[in-house]
Amino acid sequence: MKAPTTMWMMVYKVYKEVVPEVHQILDEWRKKAEKIENNELRMYALESINENTFHNEGGGVFALLTKKEVRTDVLWFIVSYQIICDYLDSLCDQSESLDPNDFRSLHEALRQALAPGSQEDVYYEHREQKDDNGFLRDLVTTCQEKVQAFPGFTGAQASMEELSLHYRNLQVYKHVEKKDREPYLISWYEETKEKYPYLADMRWYEFAASTGSTLGVYTLAAYASKGKMAKAEAESMKDKYFPHAQGLHILLDYFIDQEEDLEDDELNFCAYYKNEEDMVERMRYFKTEAERKLKQMPDSAFHSLINKGIIAIYLADEKVQKNPQIKKTANRMIRFGGLSTAFFYLNSWIFRRVSDNNEIAS
C-alpha cells in the first residue's frame, strides 16, 4: 500500500480508513476510563479521550504510511500514546502543588511507553490521588507491546526517546510556578542549543514549541512498523521533523488559543512575538524550512501534504472563525500555505460543521 500523495486521496483515506478505526480504539479506552473509581482521575481520563479526538485523528494519519496488515497496531500505539499525553497534560494543568518532581514522575509513563520491559509504577508517587484502576499502566503496556513488535523499533528507539524527552521536559517546565517558567525554559534552550547548532536561528519560545509535538514520534513508529531500520536512518527522519515541522504544528496550536490563554493567564508562546507581522513571518519561515526538509523524506509528497494540512486544520478551528482579528491573520497564513492548504482548509471547515450538526441532531 502506497501512502497517499494527492490531497484528494489523503482526505478520502483519512475519513474512510483512519477516522473510523481511531474512534473504535478511543471507545475501548473510554470503557476502561469509565471504570476508574476515583472521581477526579476518572474525570481527567474521560476528558483526555472525549475532548481530544482531533489529536488522535491527526496522529492516526501517519498510519497511512504503513502496510495495511500492521496499520491497526500502529493506530493502537498512536492513540494510546496520545491519550497518555493528553491525560498527563490535564493532570499537570490542574495541579495545585506545581511540583516539578510530580510532573516528572507522571511523565515517566511516556518514557516507559517507548521502553519495553520497564514498568515501575511511579507515576502518582507525589500525589494523593493514585488509584486509576490501572488506566495509565495499561496505556503504557499497550504502547510497549505494539512498538516491541515493530521490526524497525530497535533502530528507531533512540530517536523516538530523544523526541519524547524533549516533550517531557517541556511539560515539566511549562507547568511549574509562573515566576519560574521563563527562567527554566530559557535555560533549557541555552543548554540544548549547545548540542544542536541548528537551533541557533530559533528563539527560546520557538524551540519550546517545537518540543511539544508528537509528529516525529508517530512518523518513526510508522516506518519502524514497515521493516528494519538503521539508527542513522531514524535519526535522519527525526531531524526532518524536529524542529521546524514540529514547531509549526505547535505554534499554530498556540496561535488559535491566544484569546483563551490570555483570559486564563496561561503561557502562550505566540504572545512573545513583537507583533502580528513578526509572528506571520516566523510562521512562514517555519513552514518553508519544514517543507524543505520534508522533501528529503521517503514518501516526501505525503509529508508535504501533512505539513500543509496542519496549517489548514488549525486555521479552520472555530476559535479562529469567531475572532475577526485572528481570522484576518489566519487568512494570511492560508495564502502562504498554497493551494493544498486552501483545499484542506475548506474541507476541514465543512467537515467540522457537518460533525457539529450531526452531534446537535443526535
Side-chain angles (χ1 to χ4, degrees), residues 58-66 74 78 215-216 218-219 222 241 302-303 306:
V61 173
F62 288 93
L64 294 174
L65 289 165
T66 66
V74 173
I78 289 172
L215 297 182
Y218 299 156
T219 299
Y241 265 92
F302 172 90
H303 297 285
I306 292 292

Side-chain angles (χ1 to χ4, degrees), residues 49-116:
I49 295 167
N50 296 332
E51 297 184 12
N52 295 286
T53 303
F54 166 55
H55 294 169
N56 291 281
E57 291 172 345
V61 173
F62 288 93
L64 294 174
L65 289 165
T66 66
K67 302 173 183 178
K68 203 160 187 179
E69 56 267 30
V70 296
R71 185 174 295 166
T72 295
D73 287 337
V74 173
L75 282 172
W76 267 97
F77 165 73
I78 289 172
V79 173
S80 301
Y81 192 91
Q82 187 62 50
I83 291 173
I84 296 175
C85 292
D86 291 327
Y87 176 56
L88 299 185
D89 189 52
S90 292
L91 291 179
C92 291
D93 278 342
Q94 302 303 322
S95 172
E96 294 182 3
S97 71
L98 304 179
D99 179 5
N101 293 316
D102 174 37
F103 303 148
R104 188 73 69 184
S105 291
L106 285 170
H107 282 85
E108 172 67 6
L110 286 178
R111 187 196 70 78
Q112 292 181 10
L114 300 175

Side-chain angles (χ1 to χ4, degrees), residues 155-195:
Q157 185 175 14
S159 291
M160 293 172 75
E161 163 57 19
E162 183 180 330
L163 293 173
S164 176
L165 178 59
H166 288 327
Y167 178 92
R168 301 194 308 264
N169 284 335
L170 174 66
Q171 292 302 309
V172 173
Y173 300 147
K174 80 170 190 175
H175 283 110
V176 296
E177 290 187 53
K178 188 174 180 179
K179 67 180 178 62
D180 294 327
R181 290 173 188 172
E182 280 189 33
Y184 269 133
L185 290 165
I186 293 171
S187 176
W188 176 40
Y189 167 64
E190 294 296 333
E191 292 172 7
T192 308
K193 75 177 183 180
E194 296 297 319
K195 303 175 186 175

